[in-house]
Amino acid sequence: MPIDLSSIAQLVILIGIIVFISILFISMFSPAPFLPTNYKKVDLMIKEAHLMQTDTVFDLGSGDGRIVITAAEMGVKEAVGFEINPALNLFAKAWAKVMRLKNTNFITKSFWRADLAECNKLFLYLLPKTLDKLETKIIEEMHSGSRIISYKFKFKNLKLVKSLEKDEIYVYEV
Ligand SMILES: C[S@@+](CC[C@H](N)C(=O)[O-])C[C@H]1O[C@@H](n2cnc3c(N)ncnc32)[C@H](O)[C@@H]1O
């Protein structure tokens, strides 16, 4: 009996879509949930970062890649996203490819293993208990003059240089 290749291809694509949606769905309810920043806030955060062509940008927990892609579109040297959810990184990589962006990098590993000395602009939208722990890593690793933009939640000890209270955007410098 001949094998129907188009049916097999359809089945593989269907399984892929189901796995992708399942990972996204599970991530919504994980202890580190994927909640995307809305684009109005993304634009404000990018504005407050004072991006320059020489900048290396990190987004810790980059989700679907929207901050990394927006920063890359502004022409920074490199915009890097660290994300533990492989489905989200797959999506972000495909999106960057469609946008023909050469200055993005999406790394599927925990941001606890990132060397923050490699970036001078840092974006975060993470839970307060994670920010508390990250503070030490930021102070130890980031070079002086680096700028940090946190959405929704504040750091306790970093030097706050600007706060957009209504938009819940907090800007820090080390
Ligand atoms: C609130 S979402 C923010 C997504 C994106 N930065 C944005 O603003 O749209 C937090 C993301 O952090 C990711 N995340 C949580 N802990 C992580 C870790 N240790 N390493 C890498 N990514 C992590 C989650 O999977 C989730 O996608």
Side-chain angles (χ1 to χ4, degrees):
M1 196 176 87
I3 300 169
D4 183 354
L5 286 177
S6 76
S7 304
I8 293 174
Q10 281 172 13
L11 188 67
V12 169
I13 290 169
L14 185 68
I15 292 169
I17 291 171
I18 291 168
V19 169
F20 184 81
I21 291 172
S22 308
I23 294 175
L24 277 185
F25 187 75
I26 290 164
S27 78
M28 298 278 183
F29 301 97
S30 82
F34 167 55
L35 293 169
T37 304
N38 78 54
Y39 272 101
K40 183 177 161 272
K41 305 289 167 89
V42 171
D43 289 342
L44 278 173
M45 290 167 77
I46 292 282
K47 185 168 166 249
E48 292 305 332
H50 301 169
L51 294 180
M52 293 188 284
Q53 286 181 349
T54 49
D55 283 343
T56 298
V57 172
F58 279 11
D59 182 13
L60 302 189
S62 47
D64 62 6
R66 59 184 61 198
I67 289 178
V68 172
I69 283 172
T70 311
E73 284 179 312
M74 302 292 290
V76 297
K77 191 169 105 196
E78 193 177 23
V80 183
F82 289 87
E83 175 53 59
I84 37 170
N85 184 326
L88 288 170
N89 255 357
L90 206 64
F91 178 85
K93 280 179 192 173
W95 187 7
K97 202 164 180 130
V98 169
M99 304 286 292
R100 294 168 192 256
L101 291 167
K102 302 250 183 275
N103 54 346
T104 60
N105 188 7
F106 294 98
I107 300 172
T108 308
K109 75 175 184 189
S110 171
F111 53 66
W112 294 109
R113 292 171 56 210
D115 181 1
L116 302 185
E118 289 172 4
C119 74
N120 63 326
K121 300 284 163 73
L122 182 68
F123 289 88
L124 316 110
Y125 174 15
L126 296 168
L127 295 171
K129 65 175 190 317
T130 310
L131 293 189
D132 288 351
K133 285 194 218 149
L134 262 175
E135 221 167 24
T136 318
K137 184 172 167 68
I138 288 172
I139 292 164
E140 280 175 7
E141 294 179 11
M142 289 192 83
H143 296 292
S144 124
S146 301
R147 209 164 165 89
I148 299 133
I149 293 92
S150 178
Y151 177 50
K152 273 274 197 270
F153 304 109
K154 293 181 187 177
F155 285 98
K156 285 186 180 145
N157 303 303
L158 287 185
K159 184 175 130 202
L160 183 71
V161 291
K162 190 165 178 185
S163 147
L164 307 180
E165 292 291 341
K166 186 171 68 72
D167 293 301
E168 299 174 290
I169 292 168
Y170 307 102
V171 185
Y172 300 85
E173 261 177 29
V174 286

Tab-separated table of all heavy atoms in Angstrom, residues 27 30 32-37 42 45 59-67 82-85 88 109-112 124-126 130 151, ligand 1:
chain	number	residue	atom	x	y	z
A	27	SER	N	2.797	27.453	30.192
A	27	SER	CA	3.640	28.558	30.689
A	27	SER	C	2.821	29.661	31.349
A	27	SER	O	3.306	30.387	32.193
A	27	SER	CB	4.499	29.129	29.561
A	27	SER	OG	3.715	29.971	28.746
A	30	SER	N	2.668	28.601	34.987
A	30	SER	CA	3.897	28.201	35.678
A	30	SER	C	4.242	29.252	36.741
A	30	SER	O	3.703	30.354	36.731
A	30	SER	CB	5.039	28.070	34.661
A	30	SER	OG	5.573	29.329	34.393
A	32	ALA	N	6.701	31.029	36.840
A	32	ALA	CA	7.250	32.187	36.135
A	32	ALA	C	6.417	32.386	34.871
A	32	ALA	O	6.818	32.001	33.788
A	32	ALA	CB	8.705	31.926	35.772
A	33	PRO	N	5.238	32.976	35.003
A	33	PRO	CA	4.303	32.981	33.868
A	33	PRO	C	4.727	33.913	32.729
A	33	PRO	O	5.450	34.881	32.949
A	33	PRO	CB	3.004	33.497	34.499
A	33	PRO	CG	3.428	34.286	35.674
A	33	PRO	CD	4.714	33.679	36.163
A	34	PHE	N	4.255	33.575	31.526
A	34	PHE	CA	4.457	34.448	30.378
A	34	PHE	C	3.285	35.419	30.297
A	34	PHE	O	2.155	35.039	30.014
A	34	PHE	CB	4.562	33.638	29.082
A	34	PHE	CG	4.455	34.494	27.839
A	34	PHE	CD1	5.308	35.577	27.661
A	34	PHE	CD2	3.501	34.228	26.870
A	34	PHE	CE1	5.203	36.386	26.532
A	34	PHE	CE2	3.398	35.030	25.734
A	34	PHE	CZ	4.249	36.109	25.565
A	35	LEU	N	3.579	36.680	30.594
A	35	LEU	CA	2.585	37.744	30.467
A	35	LEU	C	3.237	38.840	29.638
A	35	LEU	O	4.153	39.511	30.118
A	35	LEU	CB	2.196	38.305	31.835
A	35	LEU	CG	1.430	37.384	32.777
A	35	LEU	CD1	1.352	37.984	34.170
A	35	LEU	CD2	0.036	37.119	32.238
A	36	PRO	N	2.823	39.000	28.393
A	36	PRO	CA	3.515	39.992	27.546
A	36	PRO	C	3.215	41.426	27.963
A	36	PRO	O	2.111	41.740	28.395
A	36	PRO	CB	2.958	39.698	26.145
A	36	PRO	CG	1.670	39.000	26.360
A	36	PRO	CD	1.751	38.293	27.676
A	37	THR	N	4.231	42.282	27.829
A	37	THR	CA	4.047	43.715	28.078
A	37	THR	C	3.283	44.306	26.895
A	37	THR	O	3.613	43.998	25.747
A	37	THR	CB	5.439	44.404	28.156
A	37	THR	OG1	6.195	43.753	29.164
A	37	THR	CG2	5.322	45.876	28.490
A	42	VAL	N	5.816	48.886	25.972
A	42	VAL	CA	7.091	48.521	25.327
A	42	VAL	C	7.730	49.780	24.741
A	42	VAL	O	8.912	50.065	24.964
A	42	VAL	CB	6.883	47.459	24.210
A	42	VAL	CG1	8.171	47.249	23.408
A	42	VAL	CG2	6.421	46.128	24.798
A	45	MET	N	9.109	51.977	27.491
A	45	MET	CA	10.326	51.393	28.069
A	45	MET	C	11.522	51.606	27.139
A	45	MET	O	12.620	51.969	27.587
A	45	MET	CB	10.126	49.893	28.337
A	45	MET	CG	9.159	49.615	29.476
A	45	MET	SD	8.662	47.890	29.528
A	45	MET	CE	10.089	47.111	30.267
A	59	ASP	N	17.022	41.221	27.432
A	59	ASP	CA	15.723	41.129	28.097
A	59	ASP	C	15.718	39.792	28.841
A	59	ASP	O	15.838	38.726	28.227
A	59	ASP	CB	14.574	41.191	27.076
A	59	ASP	CG	13.199	41.154	27.741
A	59	ASP	OD1	13.117	41.326	28.979
A	59	ASP	OD2	12.203	40.955	27.014
A	60	LEU	N	15.635	39.862	30.168
A	60	LEU	CA	15.671	38.628	30.969
A	60	LEU	C	14.257	38.077	31.100
A	60	LEU	O	13.411	38.667	31.766
A	60	LEU	CB	16.274	38.913	32.348
A	60	LEU	CG	17.684	39.508	32.358
A	60	LEU	CD1	18.244	39.547	33.777
A	60	LEU	CD2	18.638	38.737	31.444
A	61	GLY	N	14.025	36.945	30.457
A	61	GLY	CA	12.670	36.395	30.350
A	61	GLY	C	11.979	37.113	29.216
A	61	GLY	O	11.091	37.928	29.424
A	62	SER	N	12.449	36.806	27.971
A	62	SER	CA	12.063	37.647	26.827
A	62	SER	C	10.717	37.289	26.212
A	62	SER	O	10.276	37.955	25.264
A	62	SER	CB	13.167	37.608	25.766
A	62	SER	OG	13.580	36.290	25.516
A	63	GLY	N	10.062	36.253	26.718
A	63	GLY	CA	8.717	35.907	26.241
A	63	GLY	C	8.666	35.700	24.746
A	63	GLY	O	9.475	34.955	24.183
A	64	ASP	N	7.738	36.394	24.070
A	64	ASP	CA	7.612	36.225	22.609
A	64	ASP	C	8.608	37.100	21.846
A	64	ASP	O	8.574	37.154	20.614
A	64	ASP	CB	6.172	36.503	22.150
A	64	ASP	CG	5.726	37.933	22.439
A	64	ASP	OD1	6.545	38.758	22.889
A	64	ASP	OD2	4.534	38.231	22.209
A	65	GLY	N	9.476	37.797	22.558
A	65	GLY	CA	10.560	38.545	21.917
A	65	GLY	C	10.227	39.981	21.556
A	65	GLY	O	11.021	40.668	20.909
A	66	ARG	N	9.098	40.492	22.001
A	66	ARG	CA	8.661	41.815	21.534
A	66	ARG	C	9.612	42.955	21.934
A	66	ARG	O	9.792	43.890	21.150
A	66	ARG	CB	7.226	42.104	21.986
A	66	ARG	CG	7.016	42.086	23.495
A	66	ARG	CD	5.549	42.280	23.829
A	66	ARG	NE	4.704	41.212	23.274
A	66	ARG	CZ	3.381	41.319	23.125
A	66	ARG	NH1	2.775	42.424	23.486
A	66	ARG	NH2	2.698	40.314	22.628
A	67	ILE	N	10.209	42.873	23.135
A	67	ILE	CA	11.120	43.951	23.545
A	67	ILE	C	12.432	43.851	22.769
A	67	ILE	O	12.961	44.847	22.284
A	67	ILE	CB	11.339	43.914	25.073
A	67	ILE	CG1	10.041	44.364	25.761
A	67	ILE	CG2	12.526	44.788	25.494
A	67	ILE	CD1	10.066	44.352	27.261
A	82	PHE	N	16.796	36.162	26.790
A	82	PHE	CA	16.979	34.890	27.506
A	82	PHE	C	15.594	34.396	27.899
A	82	PHE	O	14.842	35.124	28.558
A	82	PHE	CB	17.844	35.083	28.760
A	82	PHE	CG	19.277	35.355	28.437
A	82	PHE	CD1	19.704	36.656	28.207
A	82	PHE	CD2	20.192	34.322	28.321
A	82	PHE	CE1	21.021	36.923	27.878
A	82	PHE	CE2	21.514	34.578	28.000
A	82	PHE	CZ	21.931	35.881	27.779
A	83	GLU	N	15.256	33.184	27.504
A	83	GLU	CA	13.910	32.676	27.767
A	83	GLU	C	13.990	31.156	27.983
A	83	GLU	O	14.577	30.456	27.167
A	83	GLU	CB	13.000	33.037	26.576
A	83	GLU	CG	11.598	32.481	26.627
A	83	GLU	CD	10.850	32.806	27.918
A	83	GLU	OE1	10.681	33.992	28.239
A	83	GLU	OE2	10.429	31.844	28.596
A	84	ILE	N	13.364	30.689	29.073
A	84	ILE	CA	13.433	29.242	29.340
A	84	ILE	C	12.391	28.448	28.551
A	84	ILE	O	12.530	27.240	28.422
A	84	ILE	CB	13.271	28.876	30.845
A	84	ILE	CG1	12.269	29.766	31.526
A	84	ILE	CG2	14.590	28.811	31.550
A	84	ILE	CD1	11.902	29.284	32.908
A	85	ASN	N	11.391	29.121	28.064
A	85	ASN	CA	10.334	28.416	27.341
A	85	ASN	C	10.715	28.294	25.851
A	85	ASN	O	10.719	29.287	25.115
A	85	ASN	CB	9.027	29.196	27.491
A	85	ASN	CG	7.848	28.486	26.864
A	85	ASN	OD1	7.995	27.809	25.855
A	85	ASN	ND2	6.685	28.652	27.461
A	88	LEU	N	8.336	29.741	23.122
A	88	LEU	CA	8.355	31.200	22.983
A	88	LEU	C	9.570	31.651	22.177
A	88	LEU	O	9.469	32.540	21.329
A	88	LEU	CB	8.352	31.864	24.366
A	88	LEU	CG	7.028	31.784	25.132
A	88	LEU	CD1	7.209	32.240	26.574
A	88	LEU	CD2	5.960	32.627	24.449
A	109	LYS	N	17.884	29.528	27.581
A	109	LYS	CA	18.483	29.088	28.847
A	109	LYS	C	18.076	30.072	29.941
A	109	LYS	O	17.592	31.168	29.655
A	109	LYS	CB	20.008	28.952	28.745
A	109	LYS	CG	20.802	30.227	28.738
A	109	LYS	CD	22.312	29.890	28.760
A	109	LYS	CE	23.140	31.158	28.842
A	109	LYS	NZ	24.560	30.947	28.669
A	110	SER	N	18.261	29.643	31.185
A	110	SER	CA	17.857	30.485	32.294
A	110	SER	C	18.707	31.755	32.331
A	110	SER	O	19.933	31.710	32.137
A	110	SER	CB	18.026	29.723	33.607
A	110	SER	OG	17.839	30.621	34.688
A	111	PHE	N	18.052	32.879	32.620
A	111	PHE	CA	18.819	34.132	32.680
A	111	PHE	C	19.776	34.169	33.873
A	111	PHE	O	20.676	34.991	33.920
A	111	PHE	CB	17.910	35.358	32.680
A	111	PHE	CG	16.816	35.378	33.716
A	111	PHE	CD1	17.090	35.460	35.068
A	111	PHE	CD2	15.493	35.340	33.301
A	111	PHE	CE1	16.081	35.495	36.012
A	111	PHE	CE2	14.458	35.375	34.242
A	111	PHE	CZ	14.755	35.445	35.597
A	112	TRP	N	19.634	33.217	34.803
A	112	TRP	CA	20.589	33.156	35.918
A	112	TRP	C	21.966	32.779	35.411
A	112	TRP	O	22.969	33.014	36.079
A	112	TRP	CB	20.117	32.163	36.992
A	112	TRP	CG	18.863	32.631	37.652
A	112	TRP	CD1	17.611	32.097	37.501
A	112	TRP	CD2	18.717	33.751	38.539
A	112	TRP	NE1	16.701	32.817	38.239
A	112	TRP	CE2	17.352	33.833	38.893
A	112	TRP	CE3	19.609	34.677	39.064
A	112	TRP	CZ2	16.853	34.811	39.744
A	112	TRP	CZ3	19.111	35.661	39.917
A	112	TRP	CH2	17.751	35.717	40.255
A	124	LEU	N	13.438	44.144	32.126
A	124	LEU	CA	12.868	43.063	32.936
A	124	LEU	C	11.378	43.275	33.162
A	124	LEU	O	10.949	44.409	33.394
A	124	LEU	CB	13.517	43.004	34.325
A	124	LEU	CG	15.023	43.133	34.432
A	124	LEU	CD1	15.390	44.435	35.062
A	124	LEU	CD2	15.610	41.996	35.178
A	125	TYR	N	10.646	42.187	33.116
A	125	TYR	CA	9.267	42.180	33.601
A	125	TYR	C	9.141	40.866	34.380
A	125	TYR	O	8.806	39.832	33.834
A	125	TYR	CB	8.284	42.264	32.430
A	125	TYR	CG	6.821	42.129	32.788
A	125	TYR	CD1	6.366	42.246	34.109
A	125	TYR	CD2	5.877	41.912	31.795
A	125	TYR	CE1	5.035	42.128	34.410
A	125	TYR	CE2	4.533	41.791	32.091
A	125	TYR	CZ	4.114	41.897	33.401
A	125	TYR	OH	2.785	41.769	33.700
A	126	LEU	N	9.556	40.942	35.642
A	126	LEU	CA	9.660	39.733	36.466
A	126	LEU	C	9.047	39.983	37.838
A	126	LEU	O	8.877	41.135	38.254
A	126	LEU	CB	11.132	39.338	36.616
A	126	LEU	CG	11.848	38.925	35.309
A	126	LEU	CD1	13.353	38.840	35.518
A	126	LEU	CD2	11.304	37.600	34.770
A	130	THR	N	11.851	37.592	42.346
A	130	THR	CA	12.953	37.357	41.395
A	130	THR	C	13.834	38.609	41.318
A	130	THR	O	15.066	38.518	41.298
A	130	THR	CB	12.393	37.011	39.996
A	130	THR	OG1	11.418	35.990	40.135
A	130	THR	CG2	13.483	36.536	39.059
A	151	TYR	N	9.551	46.730	34.344
A	151	TYR	CA	8.114	46.985	34.192
A	151	TYR	C	7.358	46.348	35.362
A	151	TYR	O	7.653	45.243	35.761
A	151	TYR	CB	7.623	46.414	32.853
A	151	TYR	CG	6.142	46.561	32.646
A	151	TYR	CD1	5.503	47.792	32.832
A	151	TYR	CD2	5.361	45.475	32.280
A	151	TYR	CE1	4.137	47.932	32.653
A	151	TYR	CE2	3.993	45.606	32.099
A	151	TYR	CZ	3.388	46.842	32.293
A	151	TYR	OH	2.027	46.970	32.127
B	1	LIG	C1	6.141	38.373	32.490
B	1	LIG	S1	6.907	37.522	31.137
B	1	LIG	C2	7.683	38.896	30.305
B	1	LIG	C3	7.927	38.642	28.829
B	1	LIG	C4	8.595	39.803	28.078
B	1	LIG	N1	9.801	40.252	28.721
B	1	LIG	C5	7.655	40.969	27.914
B	1	LIG	O1	7.850	41.970	28.612
B	1	LIG	O2	6.708	40.878	27.113
B	1	LIG	C6	8.285	36.708	31.989
B	1	LIG	C7	9.006	35.682	31.127
B	1	LIG	O3	10.150	35.256	31.865
B	1	LIG	C8	10.393	33.894	31.536
B	1	LIG	N2	11.264	33.356	32.602
B	1	LIG	C9	10.961	33.195	33.931
B	1	LIG	N3	12.013	32.714	34.609
B	1	LIG	C10	13.024	32.594	33.707
B	1	LIG	C11	14.394	32.178	33.801
B	1	LIG	N4	14.921	31.779	34.972
B	1	LIG	N5	15.160	32.210	32.692
B	1	LIG	C12	14.642	32.621	31.492
B	1	LIG	N6	13.345	33.020	31.336
B	1	LIG	C13	12.548	33.016	32.424
B	1	LIG	C14	8.991	33.282	31.482
B	1	LIG	O4	8.980	32.097	30.739
B	1	LIG	C15	8.208	34.436	30.810
B	1	LIG	O5	8.152	34.275	29.410
